[in-house]
């Protein structure tokens, strides 16, 4: 019985749903219709729900409290329109199997708005298109704020890294040194892309180690950018005033003491 | 056994505390016990941490068919605590399995015995015989069962559906009058969660792989790579190795979880009797323990997913909204007895032949 359509499965769950949900499907009635991407995003995390409702306006609020961004739609909503992406390289990755070699493609994608936000995504997949799309999503999940500063006189907008920073991944070490205006980005082609997307106009770089490994090279540059906001400079010597995290502010329940110092407090003012 | 059934959101209930029958699968509202609520042990409806009354989160009609085992009358109720400080641990959640042995099924089985060995071409003929049988029978129990079965059969056989739809609609309209559709007086201490009904969809594996194809909002500048060819010729890159997915704040397990969710973004729960749970975090799951009635190992049956919270929060108002926002679980896994046992006979007396078993709930928080 009931082997007809349900295929004699164990949990015969698909049957017997009374008459209720069957006839009218007011909400979410799409079954296997072709889906548009502009389909409503249904958030999964608490942060996602807050962003969906519009309670969080800028991504800096999220960075301020070091909240993990677990949905790429969050970044799409907050920074999305100005975010550009580019495929840096697609490399074949091979694996030896008994039946010959299995080739998959590894895509390196960098996303950024050219104004202080950059993300890097790496994805392996059997098809190029899938790898690229997957890498774009991962890049959006990894968007970080980049701090920019001055080389000398504090005239105009910040254009270079605030101080000498260095990032390391594998054997590759990348060092970024502040440069005067007009110097441009002095770096190899690949990290130059990342720095352009980050919105840094002038910088001197120096690298060491096996920079032939593209993955490590590009990740080392990214690490370096990550550290720009981790560096304690005299501007941050002022005593920090803690503010409420979005979870506390909007739910007003169970004050969770975050206790995180507001290093990023000045972000909104300096970059604004 | 590997297939997963997703519970997708259907229409909202007109009134949150409207009653339906125990064959309905719904989220929120009041539980539809197949026996009077007084027969149930009131401790089962209280939170273990704070003692307040639990509210129904999900009611799932979950019959089982596996070989010789045919359990039609089986319903799962998942109750949660809505008080502010609660809702974070396993203790504030309760899963109850209500089941009835199929002794009186023999009659119905015999009647449909001829229908059981079926083949595709003879399906239309069988359908008509069902409908005829339906009119003849007076037994009200049978009506409900047959209705349930007949409706699902009608749904699965698309070609006959149009013909029978006339009959079907009249049956659906006819029957509810025999059910208690009037608003019952309910205990006002219990907070009622906004109620909506669920329809089921099987998760197709091609959904998951094709998700990545549908992102047109993501631009692909494939043409760009060709213009950089000159520069690239001078660069010689080392061979790359396969790398697992990783983002700054998300690990591989979570990314797989999210990928499945993105394939069907509105799924409220995943049902897979005896299947594997989809974890959001790679943690060592605690042992769900053994069944209280028969002491055999519990296995996974279903898990609740976050879109459920989103839908409820959308609809809830006022203080209820705040308490719902307080919930920060990312998935709730329900483990039930692997034999779906019925226990010993003396437990059945008060509840009119139904047994009530408590099952275990595992919580994964954000």
């Amino acid at each position: 019985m009931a082997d007809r359509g349900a295929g004699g499965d164990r949990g015969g769950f698909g049957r017997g749903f009374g008459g209720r949900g069957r006839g009218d499907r007011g909400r979410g009635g799409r079954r296997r219709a072709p889906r548009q991407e502009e389909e409503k995003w249904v958030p999964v995390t608490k942060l996602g729900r807050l962003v969906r409702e519009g309670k969080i306006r800028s991504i800096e609020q999220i960075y301020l409290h070091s909240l993990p961004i677990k949905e790429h739609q969050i970044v799409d909503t907050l920074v999305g329109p100005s975010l550009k992406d580019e495929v840096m390289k697609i490399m074949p990755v091979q694996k030896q199997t008994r039946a010959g070699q299995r080739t998959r493609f590894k895509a390196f994608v960098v996303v950024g708005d050219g104004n202080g936000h950059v993300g890097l995504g790496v994805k392996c997949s059997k098809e190029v298109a899938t790898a690229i799309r997957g890498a774009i999503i991962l890049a959006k999940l990894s968007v970080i704020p980049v701090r920019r500063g001055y080389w000398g006189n504090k005239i105009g907008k910040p254009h270079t890294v605030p101080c000498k920073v260095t990032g390391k991944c594998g054997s590759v070490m990348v060092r970024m040194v502040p440069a005067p205006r007009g110097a441009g980005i002095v770096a190899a082609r690949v990290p130059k892309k990342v720095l352009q997307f980050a919105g840094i106009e002038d910088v001197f770089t120096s690298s060491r180690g096996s920079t032939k490994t593209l993955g490590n090279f590009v990740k080392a540059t990214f690490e370096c950018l990550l550290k720009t906001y981790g560096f304690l400079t005299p501007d941050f010597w002022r005593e920090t005033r803690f503010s409420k995290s979005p979870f506390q502010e909007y739910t007003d329940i169970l004050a969770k003491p975050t206790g995180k110092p507001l290093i990023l407090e000045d972000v909104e003012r300096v970059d604004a | 056994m590997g297939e997963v059934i997703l519970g997708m959101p259907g229409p909202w209930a007109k009134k949150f505390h409207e009653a339906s029958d125990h064959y309905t699968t719904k989220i929120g509202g009041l539980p539809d016990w197949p026996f009077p609520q007084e027969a149930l042990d009131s401790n089962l409806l209280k939170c273990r941490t704070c003692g307040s009354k639990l509210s129904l989160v999900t009611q799932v009609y979950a019959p089982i068919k596996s070989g010789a085992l045919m359990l039609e009358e089986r319903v799962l109720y998942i109750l949660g605590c809505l008080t502010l400080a609660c809702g974070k641990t396993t203790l504030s959640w309760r899963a109850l399995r209500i089941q009835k042995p199929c002794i009186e099924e023999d009659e119905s089985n015999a009647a449909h015995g001829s229908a059981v060995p079926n083949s595709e071409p003879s399906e239309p003929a069988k359908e008509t015989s069902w409908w005829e049988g339906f009119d003849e029978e007076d037994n009200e129990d049978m009506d409900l069962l047959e209705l349930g079965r007949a409706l699902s059969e009608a749904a699965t056989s698309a070609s006959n559906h149009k013909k029978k739809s006339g009959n079907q609609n009249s049956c659906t309209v006819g029957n509810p009058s025999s059910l208690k559709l009037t608003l019952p007086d309910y205990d006002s201490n219990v907070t009622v969660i906004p109620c909506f009904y669920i329809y089921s969809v099987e998760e197709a594996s091609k959904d998951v792989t094709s998700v990545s194809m549908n992102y047109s909002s993501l631009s692909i500048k494939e043409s760009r790579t060709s213009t950089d060819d000159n520069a690239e010729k001078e660069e010689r890159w080392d061979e790359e190795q396969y790398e697992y997915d990783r983002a700054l704040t998300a690990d591989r397990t979570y990314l797989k979880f999210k990928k499945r969710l993105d394939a069907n973004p509105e799924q409220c729960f995943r049902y897979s009797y005896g299947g594997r749970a989809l974890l959001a975090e790679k943690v060592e799951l605690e042992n769900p323990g053994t069944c209280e009635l028969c002491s055999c190992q519990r296995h996974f049956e279903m898990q609740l997913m976050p879109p459920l919270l989103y839908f409820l929060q959308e609809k809830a108002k006022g203080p209820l909204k705040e308490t719902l926002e307080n919930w920060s679980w990312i998935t709730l896994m329900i483990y039930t007895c692997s034999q779906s046992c019925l226990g010993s006979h003396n437990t059945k007396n008060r509840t009119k032949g139904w047994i009530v078993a408590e099952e275990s709930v595992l919580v994964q928080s954000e």
Side-chain angles (χ1 to χ4, degrees), chain A residues 19-36:
Chain A
R20 295 284 172 157
R22 192 173 296 297
D24 44 330
R25 306 240 174 82
R27 242 163 22 111
R30 276 183 308 268
R31 274 223 176 183
R32 291 281 74 87
R35 290 171 25 229
Q36 322 295 324

Side-chain angles (χ1 to χ4, degrees), chain B residues 40-74:
Chain B
L40 200 58
D41 181 8
S42 66
N43 280 334
L44 286 176
L45 297 177
K46 290 211 181 94
C47 173
R48 273 172 283 199
T49 27
C50 64
S52 50
K53 298 241 170 74
L54 297 173
S55 324
L56 178 74
V57 176
T58 316
Q59 169 184 317
V60 174
Y61 172 58
I64 301 176
K65 252 172 326 311
S66 65
L69 193 65
M70 258 199 25
L71 296 166
E72 305 274 337
E73 307 281 338
R74 187 170 177 273

Side-chain angles (χ1 to χ4, degrees), chain A residues 156-179:
Chain A
K157 294 242 150 228
H159 59 106
T160 185
V161 269
C163 54
K164 293 182 189 172
V165 281
T166 164
K168 189 166 158 67
C169 178
S171 73
V172 181
M173 186 212 67
V174 168
R175 185 186 196 217
M176 300 199 317
V177 169

Side-chain angles (χ1 to χ4, degrees), chain A residues 1 4 9-10 12-13 15-17 27-28 37 46 69-70 85-86 106 133 189 212 215 219, chain B residues 9 25 60-61 63 65 118 149 199-200 212 214 216 219 224 235 237-238 240-241 243 249 254 366:
Chain A
M1 201 245 128
R4 298 189 181 189
D9 52 326
R10 269 237 200 139
F13 182 71
R15 49 188 290 299
F17 274 120
R27 242 163 22 111
E37 323 66 40
K46 206 162 176 182
I69 298 178
K70 296 215 160 179
D85 56 75
E86 178 163 334
K106 191 164 174 177
R133 285 180 175 96
R189 189 186 66 88
K212 282 173 73 167
K219 282 185 206 164
Chain B
T25 303
V60 174
Y61 172 58
K65 252 172 326 311
N118 60 345
R149 267 193 221 114
Y199 69 93
S200 71
S212 46
N214 287 343
S216 82
S219 62
R224 280 271 212 116
E235 295 169 339
W237 296 107
D238 267 355
E240 289 284 334
Q241 301 294 318
E243 227 177 273
T249 50
Y254 173 78
E366 285 184 41

